[in-house]
Amino acid sequence: MDQLVAESTRALALSAKPAPPCTLVIFGANGDLTKRLLMPSLYNLAGTKLLDARFSVIGVDRDPGSDADFQGRQTASMRSFTPDKGGEFAEASLDGSAWGWLSQRLHYMVGDFTQNQVFDDLARRLGDENVIFYLAVPDRFFGGIIERLHEAGLTEKRNGRFRRVVIEKPFGHDIASARALNKQILSLLDEDQIYRIDHFLGKETVQNIMALRFSNGIFEPLWTRDHIDYVEITAAETVGVEKRGKFYEVTGALRDMVPNHMFQLLAMVTMEPPNSFAADAVRAEKAKAIDALHMMSAREVMQNVVRGQYAAGQVLGENVAGYRNEPDVAPDSNVETYVALRLFLDNWRWAGVPFYLRTGKRLMKRKTEVAIHFKPAPIRMFRDVGMERLGANAMILHVQPEEGISIYFSAKHPGQVMDIDPVRMDFKYADFFDLKPSTGYETLLYDVLTGDQTLFNRADNIENGWCAVDPILREWASHPGIVHPYFAGGQGPNEADSLPERHGHSWRKL
Ligand code: BG6
């Protein structure tokens, strides 16, 4: 069995072909994203020989500097990630040949992307090659950069060359701004040129939800309201808002995590089987799933959504400040750093099944998972065994940091009496596959290079997500209500427990 898996993994690795030649233009080349995620992912792609010999990067930013300065800065930051510091990218040491290959292909261009000059310079410098423009900049610049790229003729597809634009989140702040941005960019680019990133989709375990459901015969027949009691989706973090107070004060946990990352997980779990794995077939089913989310009334928002904000406490043995004492945060801020929701999908497969979603910062543990709780057996045959001991079946999809799947079921306790105990069956990725250090962006960057949009959001995916949270944002704006404090390092506000408990359900402990 292990042998078989190893062979098929090798076969797959061998079948990934090097991407076509391309120049990657990064706006925001001196920013955090470039340093923390883009460079490590390009380095990993270079290490697996998936980049073409003619691949190159042009980093654009305002600070003065030369190619050599840019290469030096990126080399220093890559070195700072080793030995293993436990970040997104963590390796024992930097592979000199992969980094050497990549670093000599890094170029730098000084330019202010709010002005036309740099776009004219780029137009002169870029010939007829394939180009990806990566907007690693704050979202207020997205529309303007795409306008200027268009005006300079840089987005024109001709002579077989491709021109693609990668847009980071946040894509809008509410449904109105997301629609306006989609309208603006779709007047300048075709949908097949736009790659709206949600980095959760780069995570292997998130993609594996589709494989689990649609490449096995045993799970999908159970994947309906007839057999599933409720579903929990958790994205718990131990980090606080770090240096992002300014961004977080106008964003909060709901906007930051729910219409994008959490709904992507929800869509993977609830979508109908697509007709094929072609990008548009998958994206259409995901859009339909999110579109089925029940629109909450103001009353339902009050009953089904709980907000929290971290107070000072201890996380992983360290004392940490409360949210209101973080840099760039108002001392009386009511912005939520935690949100829990009880949601329903109004469709044939899921009607009546509650989906409990929770996400928060400064919690006890970093853990992203989906827990599918199945309905209990129809009759109690084992009358002497307490119901609570029997427990219902559950399947846990561990997304991070553990990567795997667990199934809980009941088994007979060895001995002469019929005693039943809950047991757990575990599959761990690491036991079967050779897991290479990865940021999750490798897959996404490779897909942009090869023109595969399956893991990127189409305009309707984004707008459906914002539509579903719109009643909550509107209710909070008109009736701010209570933001419950919770101690950093705990499970989140106690009030969130009542969301499932009122209905006989409960959150799994972090
Ligand atoms: C980002 C959010 O999109 O996702 C952050 O803006 C959050 O606030 C992060 O910390 C979580 O991603 P991951 O991959 O660390 O779970």
Side-chain angles (χ1 to χ4, degrees):
M1 168 77 179
D2 291 11
Q3 181 64 24
L4 266 182
V5 171
E7 276 169 13
S8 66
T9 324
R10 268 197 299 277
L12 268 181
L14 289 176
S15 66
K17 298 201 170 47
C22 176
T23 302
L24 174 67
V25 176
I26 306 176
F27 293 104
N30 292 336
D32 221 38
L33 183 84
T34 305
K35 187 166 77 184
R36 275 193 315 113
L37 291 164
L38 299 185
M39 285 302 153
S41 324
L42 292 173
Y43 158 80
N44 285 337
L45 286 174
T48 46
K49 310 249 180 307
L50 288 176
L51 299 175
D52 186 90
R54 282 157 294 170
F55 174 81
S56 72
V57 172
I58 302 179
V60 180
D61 221 319
R62 292 175 210 208
D63 320 289
S66 62
D67 289 357
D69 297 333
F70 184 50
Q71 290 164 4
R73 272 199 303 277
Q74 297 304 327
T75 304
S77 97
M78 289 293 290
R79 287 216 178 101
S80 75
F81 299 135
T82 58
D84 189 342
K85 297 266 175 32
E88 287 97 344
F89 171 74
E91 267 208 317
S93 63
L94 203 59
D95 166 3
S97 84
W99 181 248
W101 185 96
L102 181 63
S103 63
Q104 65 184 356
R105 290 172 167 77
L106 301 180
H107 307 279
Y108 187 71
M109 195 173 205
V110 185
D112 176 351
F113 38 74
T114 63
Q115 306 298 321
N116 289 335
Q117 182 64 46
V118 67
F119 298 87
D120 297 337
D121 294 346
L122 275 171
R124 268 191 297 278
R125 180 151 168 184
L126 295 167
D128 240 354
E129 67 253 46
N130 298 323
V131 185
I132 293 171
F133 298 101
Y134 200 113
L135 311 193
V137 297
D139 60 309
R140 62 181 185 281
F141 298 115
F142 293 166
I145 291 180
I146 296 175
E147 296 265 358
R148 284 182 207 97
L149 283 172
H150 178 75
E151 278 163 26
L154 285 161
T155 55
E156 227 178 283
K157 304 181 264 183
R158 59 161 195 250
N159 306 335
R161 73 181 193 190
F162 65 71
R163 294 292 160 106
R164 299 176 182 147
V165 179
V166 183
I167 306 180
E168 275 290 333
K169 75 178 263 278
F171 197 97
H173 293 272
D174 51 22
I175 180 61
S177 53
R179 276 193 186 131
L181 183 56
N182 270 329
K183 193 165 170 220
Q184 181 185 19
I185 64 178
L186 281 166
S187 69
L188 307 164
L189 299 168
D190 296 332
E191 182 65 53
D192 70 6
Q193 295 180 283
I194 308 170
Y195 289 72
R196 302 174 190 81
I197 272 205
D198 184 313
H199 79 277
F200 262 48
L201 290 174
K203 297 184 196 286
E204 285 290 342
T205 35
V206 175
Q207 293 169 49
N208 193 42
I209 300 175
M210 277 204 286
L212 172 83
R213 290 187 57 199
F214 306 134
S215 68
N216 291 295
I218 58 174
F219 303 119
E220 201 52 22
L222 300 177
W223 219 257
T224 72
R225 64 190 302 276
D226 298 330
H227 301 285
I228 293 179
D229 194 13
Y230 66 102
V231 177
E232 281 175 76
I233 303 183
T234 298
E237 299 186 272
T238 50
V239 291
V241 292
E242 325 254 76
K243 294 179 201 141
R244 300 160 75 216
K246 220 178 257 167
F247 160 80
Y248 212 79
E249 278 286 89
V250 292
T251 306
L254 180 81
R255 284 187 168 93
D256 191 32
M257 295 292 289
V258 177
N260 33 62
H261 307 327
M262 304 288 281
F263 282 0
Q264 288 302 325
L265 288 171
L266 181 74
M268 289 288 193
V269 172
T270 59
M271 69 196 266
E272 290 299 319
N275 287 353
S276 72
F277 279 106
D280 272 332
V282 173
R283 300 194 297 177
E285 293 306 336
K286 281 171 52 192
K288 260 169 64 189
I290 302 305
D291 187 43
L293 274 166
H294 174 75
M295 285 296 218
M296 286 193 223
S297 64
R299 206 184 130 103
E300 286 168 329
V301 171
M302 303 262 292
Q303 288 169 343
N304 293 329
V305 187
V306 171
R307 279 193 287 175
Q309 187 190 74
Y310 62 83
Q314 260 206 354
V315 180
L316 306 173
E318 269 185 38
N319 291 330
V320 297
Y323 176 68
R324 292 179 179 187
N325 291 319
E326 298 279 20
D328 299 320
V329 170
D332 57 352
S333 170
N334 262 335
V335 166
E336 82 286 354
T337 58
Y338 176 102
V339 64
L341 312 100
R342 181 167 180 264
L343 303 172
F344 288 89
L345 266 71
D346 291 335
N347 66 15
W348 200 261
R349 186 191 282 255
W350 295 112
V353 179
F355 288 83
Y356 298 101
L357 273 57
R358 63 179 163 166
T359 181
K361 295 209 179 278
R362 287 285 191 229
L363 295 172
M364 171 182 272
K365 214 174 174 186
R366 175 168 188 245
K367 178 154 121 175
T368 304
E369 67 172 32
V370 177
I372 319 277
H373 297 268
F374 292 90
K375 290 188 173 166
I379 51 166
R380 285 177 62 182
M381 294 239 283
F382 305 99
R383 292 185 194 284
D384 298 336
V385 181
M387 250 346 235
E388 67 288 350
R389 292 266 311 285
L390 272 180
N393 300 128
M395 183 170 187
I396 317 299
L397 314 177
H398 306 281
V399 173
Q400 64 184 16
E402 272 102 52
E403 301 187 309
I405 296 171
S406 307
I407 298 182
Y408 288 82
F409 58 99
S410 301
K412 181 184 168 296
H413 200 99
Q416 282 64 41
V417 283
M418 190 49 147
D419 197 3
I420 307 277
D421 266 330
V423 294
R424 196 175 86 187
M425 199 159 72
D426 278 331
F427 151 69
K428 291 193 181 123
Y429 263 76
D431 292 345
F432 284 85
F433 302 107
D434 177 19
L435 294 179
K436 294 257 178 312
S438 123
T439 66
Y441 269 68
E442 292 79 2
T443 309
L444 298 173
L445 280 173
Y446 178 77
D447 287 354
V448 187
L449 285 160
T450 53
D452 182 349
Q453 292 189 298
T454 314
L455 298 178
F456 294 84
N457 281 313
R458 222 168 44 185
D460 55 347
N461 296 101
I462 298 268
E463 291 179 18
N464 291 355
W466 280 118
C467 257
V469 297
D470 193 54
I472 308 174
L473 294 173
R474 277 191 283 122
E475 181 56 21
W476 286 355
S478 54
H479 300 96
I482 306 172
V483 180
H484 304 282
Y486 59 95
F487 289 113
Q491 301 272 334
N494 295 334
E495 290 74 7
D497 293 345
S498 67
L499 267 191
E501 283 171 4
R502 281 203 302 267
H503 307 277
H505 302 143
S506 56
W507 298 112
R508 277 167 45 82
K509 289 267 171 265
L510 290 180

